[in-house]
Amino acid sequence: MILKTPAIPLRITPYSNTSRVVRWLTPERGRLGTLIKGALRPRGGFLGQYDYFATSELLYYERRKEGLHIARECTMTERRPELRTNWRGGVCASYVTAVADRLTPDDAPSAELFAFLERALDHARFVTERAAEFLLWFELQCCIREGRAPRLECCAACGSPIADGDELGFDVARGGVLHTACRRGGDSAQPVAPDVLALMRAWARAAQPGQAARTRTRPRQRETIGALLGAFLEYHLELPAAPRKAAYFALTAGETLT
Ligand SMILES: [Zn+2]
């Protein structure tokens, strides 16, 4: 059977001198692996028709038994060329693709995640400043989409709404903010200032990347939210820390150098 789907490469690996294995994110089937025979042959029809950060229309033969399907044809439909030259955008695109790869199930409908990744990649094309804000927003939205939204409105311990002036901490294991008075002996809550909580709440409510990327933040606020979210992602979504560190390091180092 030949199937047709929009698809974005999550990982491209060599298979032989001229063939590649591509793992894609697709709306209907989640993560999907295809073998691309003759991927590098000039007349193979695949050259330039798929790449990282680009959306393609993929035609493939379904071959469930061997794990890999066989690509028959591929046509790039959204190239996003700015991500080759805008280095900040490229860093963001690499990271959001790596996160999508970790969160996408194999062979299960993932239309919402596919649309979310496309929106994030489209936004990354034109990122020239506030790239860290965009990535922090993206991470927070991933938690929400995975059903692991950090608690930001009510105390994670007593459940009562957070009021102005409450002294608060953020406890990763208990899932969000809690009153300092509600902490138990073993809790390892980090203090959370009202400005940091307000930023996280605003990013949790912002459905579009553009809204979050318009927020001005101070380095201290970014560092605090980055540390809280990093620990939260590792604990609740089991996201590895290495790609995240690499992305934030590249952005920070780049800002210092330029
Ligand atoms: Zn409480």
Side-chain angles (χ1 to χ4, degrees):
M1 186 157 61
I2 295 180
L3 298 170
K4 184 165 95 170
T5 179
I8 301 172
L10 297 169
R11 187 170 293 189
I12 302 171
T13 43
Y15 185 79
S16 69
N17 282 345
T18 56
S19 301
R20 292 285 178 269
V21 169
V22 181
R23 186 159 76 203
W24 311 83
L25 172 57
T26 66
E28 303 296 327
R29 307 280 296 269
R31 266 194 333 196
L32 181 95
T34 64
L35 178 62
I36 301 194
K37 290 180 183 164
L40 303 185
R41 287 203 191 100
R43 290 185 197 165
F46 289 105
L47 267 188
Q49 295 303 325
Y50 68 96
D51 207 345
Y52 284 113
F53 320 145
T55 306
S56 295
E57 186 166 88
L58 169 71
L59 254 72
Y60 65 98
Y61 298 102
E62 189 174 36
R63 284 234 186 131
R64 203 186 291 266
K65 273 183 195 165
E66 296 161 26
L68 286 177
H69 306 287
I70 309 295
R72 183 194 159 173
E73 255 178 70
C74 188
T75 310
M76 197 178 277
T77 52
E78 186 63 74
R79 190 171 294 274
R80 302 189 180 92
E82 300 83 0
L83 293 171
R84 312 273 149 231
T85 50
N86 171 8
W87 70 266
R88 286 182 190 84
V91 169
C92 291
S94 296
Y95 181 56
V96 302
T97 302
V99 172
D101 189 18
R102 295 287 301 192
L103 297 183
T104 312
D106 288 326
D107 206 9
S110 305
E112 222 180 284
L113 187 65
F114 184 87
F116 183 53
L117 179 61
E118 281 210 303
R119 272 214 307 283
L121 291 173
D122 282 335
H123 178 82
R125 293 162 69 174
F126 305 107
V127 165
T128 52
E129 54 183 356
R130 295 203 265 285
E133 284 86 342
F134 164 53
L135 289 187
L136 293 170
W137 168 85
F138 174 81
E139 293 178 333
L140 192 50
Q141 291 294 324
C142 283
C143 296
I144 295 168
R145 276 154 207 280
E146 294 295 301
R148 296 298 181 97
R151 300 191 70 163
L152 302 172
E153 308 291 340
C154 295
C155 173
C158 74
S160 53
I162 303 296
D164 288 348
D166 285 355
E167 215 172 289
L168 300 169
F170 189 97
D171 189 296
V172 168
R174 300 183 76 176
V177 290
L178 41 68
H179 297 113
T180 306
C182 293
R183 284 174 58 184
R184 289 191 301 238
D187 289 348
S188 55
Q190 303 296 313
V192 178
D195 60 323
V196 165
L197 181 59
L199 277 171
M200 291 180 79
R201 283 175 171 174
W203 287 344
R205 284 192 299 264
Q208 300 297 332
Q211 287 169 264
R214 281 194 292 274
T215 320
R216 281 189 187 282
T217 60
R218 292 193 292 275
R220 180 193 57 79
Q221 295 170 322
R222 290 197 292 279
E223 275 165 33
T224 307
I225 297 174
L228 295 179
L229 276 180
F232 197 89
L233 290 165
E234 223 176 326
Y235 187 93
H236 292 285
L237 300 185
E238 290 170 20
L239 287 183
R244 181 174 199 272
K245 276 187 187 152
Y248 285 100
F249 178 78
L251 291 173
T252 316
E255 300 300 339
T256 318
L257 292 171
T258 51

